[in-house]
Amino acid sequence: MTKSKTVAESQADFGQHIVCAQQVFAHFADRLGIAPDVALRTASCFGSGLGRADVCGCVTGALMVLGLAHGHGGACSRAEQRSLYARRDAFTAAFAEAHNGLLCREILGYDLTIPEQRALIVEKGLFASVCAPLVCAACDMLEDLL
């Protein structure tokens, strides 16, 4: 089991511009047999819901973890595919239930692609108060599926 990520660690990472997807994916890098810098680079375009307030970077980072841990590199049996998709669906269902959806705009209550709403997100400190705990929650949820 990987050491739990703390909210303080996540907030510090955000302060260094390490986005949510990077934090989740890199948290499991050693366990997945990849270098942390490779995980950080791989997930670097997925934060802030692909930069569009779409699917939360915590979710995309988590799905990368599940894919690397349980995915296949080519042809596979239907049973193997179903097993992977069951993990994916379990994670996304639990995440959506716990956090009001899968999209950044649903979770934050604002659309970060709209400048006025992004300003409110920053003003209210939602990246620290919502997103940092979300990174930790996503990492904890993954533990049960790995």
Side-chain angles (χ1 to χ4, degrees), residues 79-98:
E80 290 170 315
Q81 186 179 44
R82 284 185 182 142
S83 176
L84 174 63
Y85 287 177
R87 283 182 169 89
R88 176 201 62 197
D89 295 347
F91 179 86
T92 57
F95 188 94
E97 175 71 24

Side-chain angles (χ1 to χ4, degrees), residues 26-115:
H27 183 71
F28 293 92
D30 289 339
R31 185 161 153 186
L32 296 169
I34 60 172
D37 67 306
V38 171
L40 290 169
R41 288 195 318 268
T42 301
S44 62
C45 289
F46 293 90
S48 298
L50 306 174
R52 304 171 60 93
D54 286 331
V55 176
C56 171
C58 294
V59 174
T60 56
L63 296 182
M64 284 187 261
V65 170
L66 289 174
L68 195 53
H70 299 285
H72 47 85
C76 70
S77 70
R78 184 163 306 276
E80 290 170 315
Q81 186 179 44
R82 284 185 182 142
S83 176
L84 174 63
Y85 287 177
R87 283 182 169 89
R88 176 201 62 197
D89 295 347
F91 179 86
T92 57
F95 188 94
E97 175 71 24
H99 304 292
N100 233 15
L102 296 175
L103 307 181
C104 290
R105 66 178 72 86
E106 294 169 338
I107 296 163
L108 292 170
Y110 298 98
D111 187 333
L112 56 86
T113 65
I114 300 170

